[in-house]
Structures are given as C-alpha cells and as structure tokens.
Amino acid sequence: MYTKQGVQDNAVGVVAPFRGERTGGLVVVEARGKYAEASKSGKMCFSYCAARATSIPATAQIGNIVWNPPSSGVLLSMAKWVAQVQVTSATTLGITFGYAAQATTPSTATAADAWGNCYLGATSPANCKARAYAIGTIVVAPTPVMNLFHNTAAIATTGVDKMDGDFEGLWTIPPGYVCCLSAITAAVAAAGMTSTLTWEEIPE
C-alpha cells in the first residue's frame, strides 16, 4: 500500500519528516488505491465468468472456479468479489464462497470468459500462476466457508441485483486447492449469474 507522510512544523524553517498524534501514533493517508502497487507489479489477478448457471457445491462445478496448481509457488490471497443474479432464480437462496483440495487440473473444463492479470494487456492471462474456469469437474465438492449474499425469490431481468465485497486477504488458497462461488440450496437458472473473483499472488 502507498502512504503519504504528513508534515509537522516544529519551528521556523524546520520541518519534521513525520507527523504524530497525541497517543504517539504516526499519521498517514492513503495516496493510492490499496491494490495499486500489487496490480502495477503484476501480482493481482482476476476471473470473470458471464451468464452461468452457478451450481450448488458439487464435483461438477459451474460458476467461477480458481485453481492454484500444486507447483505454482504462490499463495492466493483473496481480494474483491462481485456477483449478480440476472435471471429469475426463485429456489436459489444465495451465493457462497468455498474451497476444495485439487491436485490435478479440473477436467472437462471451460475457461473463464476473461481472466488473468489486473495489469490489463495482451499478455494478461500468461502472467498469473492460478488458472480460472467457468465450468470444471473437481475431485471433491467444495466446502462453503462464507455466505456472500441472499438471493430473493423474485429477482427478474428487470431488477438485476449486483452485490460486491472485499475478502481483504482473509482467505488464503494454497497450491493444490481450488476456490469457487457456488449457489445455496439450488442452482442458479440458466445464464443466470455473472461474477468476478480477484486475488493477489504472493510467494509461499
């Protein structure tokens, strides 16, 4: 994170390099977005999956899947997420975030509609160690660890809900694991959900 130091005037012509407050803390302000440095350095990545019938946690997973290969050498520190249910899905209670062990590449896989480095450019996908899929068969059904939002019973195409949040590094995905978004109770309707997952790749 970039911070900008405050300035404290001590005497005429003398400027201290830091600014303190009464309890002894250092006063700083954020000069750039909190992900700016990691993104500029090519460490932030994303997975975008459009109009998918997001499944409940299962080995045949549909939605948004991020796989950290066993030999990647990085940890995935999960960051921002965005999702919207854009087709009526009356029996889908909500969306959850989960994980599972996955030592091999997901089979019968369909790549995410867009994925790669948040430093957007022609070589964006090649710069990420993790891989992203919209559809894939994994070894075991993912274990949900966080409910992200509730889906009402009457969402229609005329009233799209877009929900977003920030994991802020709370969840760390080690090599040989997947994480994904899954539906709660029942799958989302056909072409029903669009979502984005983001993460920072940090050395083990």
Side-chain angles (χ1 to χ4, degrees):
M1 180 189 299
Y2 269 93
T3 57
K4 183 169 62 178
Q5 298 164 352
V7 184
Q8 178 180 343
D9 292 328
N10 287 349
V12 176
V14 178
V15 179
F18 302 107
R19 180 180 178 184
E21 46 92 29
R22 284 187 289 181
T23 63
L26 177 65
V27 176
V28 298
V29 296
E30 194 171 62
R32 299 184 184 179
K34 66 179 179 179
Y35 299 114
E37 179 61 23
S39 181
K40 182 173 73 88
S41 302
K43 304 301 183 184
M44 293 297 301
C45 298
F46 75 96
S47 170
Y48 171 78
C49 295
R52 299 293 174 176
T54 301
S55 63
I56 61 172
T59 54
Q61 192 67 32
I62 303 172
N64 198 327
I65 307 161
V66 177
W67 178 52
N68 190 5
S71 60
S72 70
V74 298
L75 303 171
L76 311 185
S77 181
M78 302 308 295
K80 285 185 174 292
W81 61 268
V82 177
Q84 66 182 35
V85 177
Q86 60 218 34
V87 175
T88 301
S89 301
T91 56
T92 301
L93 183 62
I95 299 299
T96 188
F97 176 78
Y99 79 103
Q102 183 70 28
T104 57
T105 304
S107 59
T108 59
T110 299
D113 295 280
W115 69 279
N117 203 285
C118 290
Y119 191 111
L120 300 176
T123 60
S124 177
N127 291 337
C128 291
K129 301 292 186 181
R131 297 291 178 262
Y133 308 95
I135 301 172
T137 299
I138 57 180
V139 176
V140 295
T143 299
V145 293
M146 179 180 281
N147 288 0
L148 301 184
F149 62 89
H150 170 253
N151 180 63
T152 65
I155 289 179
T157 54
T158 55
V160 175
D161 276 355
K162 182 187 79 69
M163 305 298 289
D164 62 86
D166 195 336
F167 293 126
E168 296 188 344
L170 173 65
W171 305 113
T172 300
I173 310 302
Y177 280 78
V178 295
C179 63
C180 61
L181 300 181
S182 301
I184 302 170
T185 306
V188 175
M193 190 176 109
T194 296
S195 64
T196 299
L197 287 171
T198 67
W199 63 92
E200 181 180 0
E201 297 190 341
I202 57 179
E204 284 191 270

